[in-house]
Amino acid sequence: MKTVLVLLSVAVVLVACKRRTPPPPVPPPAPVNEPAKAPAPSSGGGIRAGDQNLPALNRALKAYLAKHKQAPAKLDDLAKEGLIPFLPMAPPGGRYELDAARGEVKLVGSTAK
């Protein structure tokens, strides 16, 4: 019985003394007061400020139409398909609207040119 206890004690000591590698260091979290960055535009996105987005949105719509043979239910679907990096904001006072009948995106209600 003593032999079993001695062997068990030796086994426990050997297991406990085994050298373990430390886990890799965890990078510190980003500062809280730093503003969020907009996603980087993809190579085919071409999203810019103002109504300069219309050509990029219309190119993305044409690609969507070619792939799916029908217009998307909403403009957000262009971003979900990865055709644009994100749906841009329209200029102040305006909104982007999908004209499925004509197969184009329009800027509606904006006074900016």
Side-chain angles (χ1 to χ4, degrees):
M1 184 72 165
K2 281 186 173 182
T3 308
V4 173
L5 287 175
V6 170
L7 289 175
L8 185 60
S9 298
V10 170
V12 169
V13 169
L14 288 176
V15 170
C17 290
K18 189 186 292 185
R19 186 175 278 181
R20 297 180 185 160
T21 58
V26 178
V32 177
N33 59 355
E34 189 173 299
K37 296 178 182 175
S42 65
S43 60
I47 301 298
R48 296 183 204 93
D51 62 352
Q52 297 173 359
N53 289 320
L54 280 176
L57 289 170
N58 279 304
R59 280 192 304 273
L61 178 60
K62 288 187 188 326
Y64 187 97
L65 290 169
K67 182 177 180 182
H68 295 283
K69 308 297 184 220
Q70 66 181 13
K74 54 190 175 184
L75 287 175
D76 285 337
D77 293 341
L78 299 176
K80 289 178 185 172
E81 285 285 319
L83 300 170
I84 54 175
F86 57 92
L87 185 61
M89 290 181 58
R95 69 181 187 282
Y96 292 116
E97 196 170 274
L98 175 64
D99 185 350
R102 297 186 73 187
E104 66 182 9
V105 179
K106 295 180 179 181
L107 179 59
V108 179
S110 176
T111 57
K113 292 188 179 186

